Amino acid sequence: MTKRICLWSGPRNISTALMYSFAQRADTTVVDEPLYAHYLSTTDAHTYHPGSAEVMAVQENDGAKVVREVILGDYPTRLVFFKHMTHHLVNLDWDFLDQTINVLLTRDPRDMLPSYAKNVKQPTLRDTDYADHLKLLDYLRSRGQTPPVLEAKQVLLNPRGVLSRLCQQIGIPFDEAMLSWPAGPRPEDGVWAKHWYHSVHQSTGFEAYRPKASPFPEHLKPLLAECQPYYEQLAALAIQADQSQPEG
């Protein structure tokens, strides 16, 4: 039986690095944000997301069809890893989540917001996924699931340890191959990669965590205040680097 792992992330949360990590497994197919065009076509996000017209032109816009044919479709491997943004779940029936293994990924908004604002100049709470993550978490719990939570800094502090615990929690063996990958793009990258994936294309593994050196932008401080309480609730649930196996 195919195991379908859905990573529900916010933007600029090392989600692409995690997709590249899972792509190194011989038993895994990876799929990059299959619901992105659905989200763009059913919200006003297409007016401010870079490259939105191209995304909607090349990717299926019907979210229900994506769920049926892509997320719940047939694959040659025993594992399928779907990288998603949580806000892409808008205007969809969430029943399919009963058939997927769901993982949440978050990042400190003090690190995330300045990075995201380079592409989306005036982000709102909806764009960040912090509130949506808690809504999704509540829904999954109501369906009897206890989804693992990843926090970007903790992953970067101890990739081997945190990923080992994640694999244990979702019932798959850890694979050392997940810790590194060749530099450059992957064929699974969405067409939006040229706008968002420059850093990950230069990487060959999880980069060591480095706090932001520049001052936090003044214009983002009101949004930071909105995001912080949601983030803190999520971070409290995350797999911790110091509770995991040594990086070694």
Side-chain angles (χ1 to χ4, degrees), residues 172-192:
I172 65 173
F174 172 69
D175 189 333
E176 286 285 333
M178 298 172 70
L179 299 177
S180 62
W181 50 83
R186 287 195 57 84
E188 299 91 349
D189 288 349
V191 296
W192 51 88

Side-chain angles (χ1 to χ4, degrees), residues 36-37 40 45-57 195:
Y36 192 11
L40 292 172
H46 66 273
T47 64
Y48 59 88
H49 274 231
S52 58
E54 185 179 11
V55 176
M56 291 188 290
H195 302 287

Side-chain angles (χ1 to χ4, degrees), residues 19 23 34 39 51 78 133 148 162 188 192 195 201 216 233 237:
M19 182 179 77
Y39 170 71
R78 71 183 191 93
H133 266 142
V162 173
E188 299 91 349
W192 51 88
H195 302 287
H201 285 169
F216 191 86
Q233 291 183 63
L237 302 172

